[in-house]
Amino acid sequence: QVQLVESGGEQVQAGGSLRLSCTASGRTFATYAMGWFRQAPGKEREFVATIGRFTSGITYYADPVNGRFTISRDNAKNTVYLQMNSLKPEDTAVYYCAASTSGISTTTHSYAYWGQGTQVTVSS
């Protein structure tokens, strides 16, 4: 089992940048594909980005964030990052990281472990 703790969320102006971090417990972090999801008030949780296991380098992004967000991982630090640039008010949401044993995926049910979330607010 793995425990995930997100950090880095805060309020920023539109056009600004933030880097979210998600640190995992345990010694098997590298074996998990990792994902970032977000949930805005009144909306369903939606996929943002995912990165493959180990050092595969495989990444995939949701269309609304492609070209603005970058997911990366540091297996030595048990941490996955989400670099968010050119932020827009519609990026406002609680951001969750998640771990999957079944490879990269864009669907929530593929991820067995979830963090508690971190709030990102983008003001216009």
Side-chain angles (χ1 to χ4, degrees):
Q1 190 168 1
V2 61
Q3 293 181 323
L4 304 171
V5 179
E6 302 98 333
S7 61
E10 61 182 74
Q11 182 171 350
V12 295
Q13 294 284 331
S17 297
L18 279 178
R19 188 177 80 158
L20 305 183
S21 300
C22 172
T23 300
S25 64
R27 296 177 291 177
T28 59
F29 173 75
T31 68
Y32 293 95
M34 299 299 296
W36 285 98
F37 290 76
R38 66 187 182 186
Q39 188 166 17
K43 294 188 177 182
E44 293 187 352
R45 193 169 298 189
E46 66 176 6
F47 166 75
V48 174
T50 183
I51 187 166
R53 301 181 298 171
F54 301 107
T55 56
S56 70
I58 297 172
T59 59
Y60 186 75
Y61 299 91
D63 287 343
V65 308
N66 197 20
R68 299 188 297 124
F69 291 10
T70 302
I71 188 171
S72 61
R73 66 188 300 160
D74 185 337
N75 293 327
K77 295 182 178 180
N78 278 16
T79 300
V80 61
Y81 304 98
L82 185 68
Q83 177 67 44
M84 305 187 295
N85 299 328
S86 302
L87 283 161
K88 305 175 181 180
E90 52 263 43
D91 294 320
T92 296
V94 178
Y95 283 72
Y96 298 89
C97 74
S100 169
T101 59
S102 57
I104 62 171
S105 174
T106 64
T107 58
T108 57
H109 60 255
S110 296
Y111 293 83
Y113 305 105
W114 292 83
Q116 83 290 347
T118 186
Q119 176 71 48
V120 172
T121 303
V122 185
S123 55
S124 58

